[in-house]
Amino acid sequence: MTILYILLGATGLVLLWLVLVYNRLVRGRNMVREAWSGIDVQLKRRADLIPNLVETVKGYAGHEQAALARVTELRAKSLSGGGAAEQGRVQAELSRALAGIFAVAEAYPDLKADASFRQLQGELTNVEEHVQLARRYYNGAARDLNIAVESFPNNLVAGAFGFQTVEYFELEDAADRAVPDVSFK
């Protein structure tokens, strides 16, 4: 009878451990989803500002069509979705293209003085900061989930229930890690 109690106790402990690990993995997966949603919201806000910015610049520097068309093209790509790695690449290209737009604006004192342009510039700077914060949060949630999925013995439960590691939202080019300078003096 004692052996039966020991076996039941051991089985109960193993089941309790399985439930705890499974719940931890589910919590981690949901944190990653929530964090990605935060990035998605900020990227959408950024994309919503771009048409206004392009129109404002076009009014002053209409002959800079190549730079404006590139920004518009990358905005469309950024809205098409994709995984964290793909979004990181597209967002890095978009940041470079926006920096080019702001460089174009340097040549147009009237544009730099335009209230609408200055307001858009300020909003874009604010959104860039929010994107950076959302990216940090996502990467922290992704790190926690990845550790839980890869750690032994959690990896046994993760593999049995189909949990996988997630990719980080990173910028591939070291130059892209810097937030573009969008201030005009």
Side-chain angles (χ1 to χ4, degrees), residues 13-163:
L13 287 175
V14 168
L15 288 175
L16 178 64
W17 173 78
L18 283 171
V19 167
L20 292 174
V21 169
Y22 180 82
N23 287 340
R24 180 175 178 221
L25 292 167
V26 168
R27 184 175 140 288
R29 181 176 56 197
N30 288 330
M31 294 292 287
V32 167
R33 288 177 181 165
E34 173 197 4
W36 184 255
S37 174
I39 288 176
D40 199 40
V41 165
Q42 296 307 321
L43 294 179
K44 177 76 170 113
R45 284 182 59 205
R46 180 186 195 199
D48 289 346
L49 289 173
I50 290 173
N52 295 332
L53 181 68
V54 167
E55 286 304 314
T56 303
V57 173
K58 196 183 290 184
Y60 287 90
H63 61 280
E64 303 287 350
Q65 288 299 319
L68 298 172
R70 181 71 178 146
V71 167
T72 303
E73 171 192 336
L74 289 169
R75 176 190 179 268
K77 273 187 183 178
S78 76
L79 292 174
S80 66
E86 174 66 17
Q87 275 295 330
R89 187 187 62 72
V90 170
Q91 294 304 320
E93 286 183 51
L94 185 56
S95 291
R96 284 191 298 270
L98 285 171
I101 292 290
F102 288 119
V104 165
E106 283 289 328
Y108 299 91
D110 291 341
L111 175 59
K112 288 185 348 186
D114 183 270
S116 177
F117 180 78
R118 285 195 322 249
Q119 178 187 2
L120 288 168
Q121 172 192 7
E123 288 178 34
L124 188 61
T125 300
N126 187 32
V127 168
E128 292 290 343
E129 290 171 5
H130 283 91
V131 168
Q132 180 184 15
L133 292 173
R135 191 177 77 226
R136 277 190 195 152
Y137 179 69
Y138 171 82
N139 284 340
R143 178 201 59 228
D144 292 345
L145 178 62
N146 290 347
I147 289 170
V149 167
E150 293 176 339
S151 297
F152 181 81
N154 291 359
N155 61 352
L156 301 174
V157 176
F161 290 102
F163 288 91

